[in-house]
Amino acid sequence: MSQSPKTLSRRTVLRGVGTAIALPWLDAMSPSRLLAATSSDGSPPLRMGFFYVPNGMHMPAWTPGKEGANFDLTPTLEKLADHREDISVLSGLTLDGARAHGDGGGDHARSVAAFLTGAHPRKTNGADIQNGISVDQATAQYVGDRTRFASLELGLEASSQAGNCDSGYSCAYASNMSWRGPTNPMAKETDPRALFDRLFAGQTVKETRRAKSEREKYRKSILDFVAEDAKRLHAHLPIVDRRKLDEYFYAIRDVEKRLDGSEKLGLNEEGVPDYPRPSGVPRELAQHSDLMMDMVALAYQTDSTRILSFMFTNAGSNRAYKEIGVNEGHHELSHHGKSEHKQAEIAKINAFHAERFNCLLGRLKLIREGNGSLLDHCMIVYGSGISDGDRHNHDDLPILLAGKGGGRIQSGRHVRYKNGTPLCNLYLWMMRQMGADAERFGDSQGVLQGLG
């Protein structure tokens, strides 16, 4: 970092051995230099994201009864009450590619494979997988070269590339929603420590390994490696930018502390010491999710990427959520057969996922950027490719759009579309807002209307 604030570029980073920390949006950044990295008027860049939850929803606890700005916060949406004005609930959208179309069972695998592609995946558990390119990767082809990472693929459960996971469908379909091409699923990063290192690594493998080894040996913060650069910059910034930088450094250090804490030796239920998890993945799902959400916020804040996808769990996940008192498997509960008990348990899981997503929205809302917040410059889809898990239907999906899209989205509403409206209509609209010159995507019939 050798530039003065008067010539500070959006691409400026603080450097140290094996470390390169990108800066958040600062007022001191020259508008003329920002033009190449942001929109044509120098405003903050637009980000897109896609967050997937498995096994559908308990729809009575999701869908508002009222449309428009006065929509009611249902039990699941109540978990997002802090951000009521920042979300748009979109009803009636449909994922035709996830339907059987003569292929029989496998709705869970199809729901993930089709969620971002709009394609109908070939039914196979062999090497001859065939899907479509996903909206995140299609958009990255247009704007991915503007950031360090064209896109990020994240989740809480690891991806698989082979095996039979759902009624003859390959595990590649069930555990990957991002596809670079028809035969190229993009594996997810699930380790928050590994993701942190990717975001703040140096320019060479040798430097990165050296810095990581020294940090672990002396328990240093990654910020210690850029202290001199940071001190020089801080001294010349206006007070507003100093505050922004201090908040940003605090967020980085907070994530580091929590990463370290998640790897410490603990006691199991029998009081016997557990060994540290070698992968760096926390044992508790909430802790794992919240760390990953903080990393998502840092990735957006530093403009390391503008496009990412996130899977809470893989398709058909039968994970039990004991930390919230749900001891039965999620997939088994989703086949509720109208059981009131099972539906109540599904609603608890849905609320848990919504709470985790709410953590991300809160983090993005607190980050000031331009004349608003980072969340104001986002378009983040949250939902599932299955509506009711018992019916395995793929129409009237539970879809939520978070953020104001840089002023392009009139949020804080429930918008009901004609049932059967392609979900890909939304994706085509989002692609065009990102600057992708696409005439159609998936099974789109045009851009989705009524968002602005």
Side-chain angles (χ1 to χ4, degrees):
M1 199 287 297
S2 60
Q3 296 164 302
S4 70
K6 290 182 179 179
T7 60
L8 199 62
S9 166
R10 185 72 178 95
R11 297 299 177 212
T12 301
V13 298
L14 302 178
R15 294 192 182 280
V17 177
T19 303
I21 298 183
L23 295 177
W25 182 280
L26 299 175
D27 291 346
M29 290 175 172
S30 169
S32 63
R33 287 180 174 269
L34 287 172
L35 293 180
T38 61
S39 60
S40 59
D41 61 357
S43 59
L46 189 60
R47 287 83 158 191
M48 71 181 342
F50 305 91
F51 286 70
Y52 189 90
V53 291
N55 303 325
M57 292 276 185
H58 180 49
M59 295 303 289
W62 170 271
T63 308
K66 298 179 181 177
E67 298 179 44
N70 295 319
F71 72 95
D72 45 310
L73 285 173
T74 54
T76 303
L77 296 179
E78 180 67 36
K79 303 302 179 182
L80 301 168
D82 293 341
H83 306 288
R84 179 192 179 101
E85 299 305 314
D86 302 303
I87 62 175
S88 305
V89 184
L90 310 179
S91 297
L93 301 183
T94 297
L95 191 60
D96 184 66
R99 289 169 168 156
H101 292 297
D103 284 343
D107 288 275
H108 290 281
R110 285 194 300 263
S111 72
V112 171
F115 189 65
L116 295 188
T117 67
H120 180 74
R122 173 186 289 163
K123 188 165 191 176
T124 178
N125 57 20
D128 56 334
I129 56 174
Q130 185 79 22
N131 197 12
I133 186 172
S134 54
V135 59
D136 58 324
Q137 297 306 306
T139 307
Q141 291 180 357
Y142 288 91
V143 301
D145 61 346
R146 302 177 189 177
T147 53
R148 289 176 58 210
F149 304 103
S151 64
L152 288 175
E153 296 73 44
L154 311 173
L156 303 182
E157 288 186 351
S159 295
S160 298
Q161 307 303 330
N164 182 357
C165 277
D166 185 9
S167 304
Y169 278 99
S170 170
C171 295
Y173 296 128
S175 62
N176 299 284
M177 70 173 182
S178 180
W179 290 69
R180 183 164 51 86
T183 61
N184 305 109
M186 303 285 285
K188 306 186 294 293
E189 176 60 75
T190 62
D191 186 340
R193 170 73 71 182
L195 179 56
F196 186 89
D197 288 340
R198 285 178 66 188
L199 291 177
F200 300 107
Q203 299 303 302
T204 69
V205 174
K206 184 177 180 180
E207 283 184 333
T208 301
R209 288 176 177 171
R210 173 185 167 190
K212 185 176 180 180
S213 176
E214 189 173 345
R215 288 204 310 272
E216 292 174 350
K217 182 177 180 180
Y218 297 105
R219 296 185 178 278
K220 285 188 174 183
S221 165
I222 201 166
L223 298 177
D224 294 333
F225 290 82
V226 297
E228 292 185 10
D229 244 5
K231 185 177 181 179
R232 283 195 298 268
L233 175 64
H234 199 276
H236 296 286
L237 288 175
I239 189 169
V240 173
D241 281 346
R242 291 182 189 181
R243 189 177 297 116
K244 286 183 180 180
L245 201 60
D246 289 342
E247 291 173 352
Y248 173 54
F249 287 162
Y250 177 84
I252 293 176
R253 188 68 189 108
D254 181 60
V255 169
E256 283 185 311
K257 289 179 179 178
R258 288 161 58 208
L259 283 171
D260 290 340
S262 72
E263 295 171 353
K264 288 181 179 178
L265 196 67
L267 300 179
N268 61 22
E269 294 177 355
E270 291 73 35
V272 178
D274 288 327
Y275 287 103
R277 298 175 67 86
S279 65
V281 176
R283 185 180 302 279
E284 293 294 329
L285 187 64
Q287 184 185 16
H288 186 188
S289 175
D290 292 352
L291 274 171
M292 294 295 282
M293 294 303 176
D294 279 350
M295 232 74 74
V296 167
L298 287 172
Y300 278 153
Q301 184 180 14
T302 57
D303 203 26
S304 294
T305 191
R306 298 175 188 174
I307 304 168
L308 61 82
S309 60
F310 189 100
M311 291 180 65
F312 279 89
T313 63
N314 296 335
S317 170
N318 204 36
R319 173 192 287 268
Y321 290 75
K322 294 183 179 180
E323 57 195 289
I324 58 171
V326 178
N327 298 316
E328 300 164 82
H330 187 189
H331 182 212
E332 293 177 4
L333 287 169
S334 72
H335 294 274
H336 53 76
K338 298 185 179 181
S339 162
E340 292 185 4
H341 164 72
K342 290 185 176 181
Q343 291 182 81
E345 296 293 88
I346 295 168
K348 289 181 184 178
I349 297 173
N350 296 161
F352 174 83
H353 289 149
E355 286 176 340
R356 308 277 65 79
F357 187 62
N358 185 65
C359 289
L360 172 64
L361 300 188
R363 182 80 176 84
L364 298 176
K365 187 76 171 180
L366 287 174
I367 299 171
R368 307 315 300 168
E369 193 175 77
N371 295 322
S373 70
L374 201 162
L375 181 58
D376 292 334
H377 302 111
C378 286
M379 307 179 294
I380 303 177
V381 174
Y382 174 93
S384 183
I386 293 178
S387 181
D388 175 48
D390 196 47
R391 293 172 55 209
H392 282 172
N393 62 309
H394 307 285
D395 64 319
D396 196 15
L397 295 172
I399 299 294
L400 178 148
L401 183 62
K404 299 181 185 297
R408 299 168 177 83
I409 300 170
Q410 184 184 345
S411 56
R413 298 181 300 151
H414 172 213
V415 183
R416 178 170 292 283
Y417 295 95
K418 180 181 179 182
N419 194 23
T421 300
L423 177 60
C424 286
N425 285 8
L426 170 61
Y427 295 161
L428 181 62
W429 183 86
M430 293 174 69
M431 289 179 70
R432 292 187 180 178
Q433 310 316 305
M434 291 290 292
D437 184 19
E439 294 186 5
R440 64 187 307 272
F441 178 79
D443 64 345
S444 66
Q445 299 171 351
V447 296
L448 194 65
Q449 303 295 317
L451 293 174

